[in-house]
Amino acid sequence: MVVKPEWLRVKAPQWERVGSVKEVLRDLALNTVCEEASCPNIGECFNNGTATFLIMGPACTRACPYCDIDFEKKPQPLDPTEPTRLAEAVRRMNLNHVVITSVNRDDLPDGGASQFVRCIEGIRAVSPKTTIEVLIPDLCGNWDALKIILSASPEVLNHNTETIPRLYRRVRPQGDYARSLELIKQVRQINPSVYTKSGIMVGLGETDAEVRQTMQDLRAADCDILTIGQYLQPSQKHLDVKDFVTPEQFDAWREYGESIGFLQVVSTPLTRSSYHAEQVQALMQQYPR
């Protein structure tokens, strides 16, 4: 059994607050990536009354060996009531900022883009002041589908690069590094007012130089916000952790990212792509578009 270093140990959550969030999610039959992907920050985020909603799931059409979300070749049809239920959860939880992500739906012609739009519109109808971040799959490079999502003008569009190019075939076999970078580029061209965001996980055997090169590639693609966090193995079936990266190294990457022009770099061992996502509101005031 691998013993986690001290900096990866998370305080036990206050289950009273967690329970009230879970109650809303169960009542409205909603999924969260917090639960489905076994996120280590679930206690902190649920205690703060925030959640990253997982739509079109919980089963995914891809089987990435790092991810704890279930694989299913032929997932269920989309639920037309999902956007309404999601909007009601945002209203009940009184969220100032919401993150909507999805499983990969390679079985759908638009990759689920239309469902993202329906969810954004549903939230805006009941909670117009809530800022919205969408964390989307690569849509198999369908930029028309990307235009559909961006037509709804979410404040932030996030697409995770996940890892460095050398590890792509092993870590993200159905993904493509160049395609993920191109998606970020396309966002800026299609809707320049939207803030772009991406994330990578470390501890899979990458070098410091490779991480810095990936950061440079993302900046060249006009990525505004970057998250870097430690990969943690969800189960024995998943990829092994090669290294536990020190907090000092995460600090060094944050400083480097800021020096090359990212508006924000969140880089800590426990960072996940939606961790402290609400901080983007301050960023939008500082760098208005």
Side-chain angles (χ1 to χ4, degrees), residues 26-48:
R26 294 298 87 79
D27 185 42
L28 295 168
L30 292 166
N31 299 305
T32 65
V33 78
C34 324
E35 297 168 290
E36 299 299 330
S38 308
C39 179
N41 303 313
I42 186 169
E44 180 183 348
C45 295
F46 276 20
N47 279 335
N48 291 333

Side-chain angles (χ1 to χ4, degrees), residues 38 100 103 136 168 200 232 260 268 271:
S38 308
I100 310 166
V103 292
I136 69 168
Y168 242 67
I200 59 173
L232 296 174
I260 62 173
T268 71
T271 291

Side-chain angles (χ1 to χ4, degrees), residues 1 12 18 26 60-61 69 81 94 110 147 150 164 175 179 192-193 211 219 244 265 271-272 284-285:
M1 181 178 164
V18 171
R26 294 298 87 79
C60 184
T61 54
I69 291 178
T81 70
N94 195 27
D110 70 353
K147 285 176 185 173
L150 290 170
I164 58 153
R179 183 165 67 196
S193 67
V211 171
R219 271 306 298 138
F244 286 115
V265 181
T271 291
R272 295 297 178 267
M284 289 165 63
Q285 290 182 343

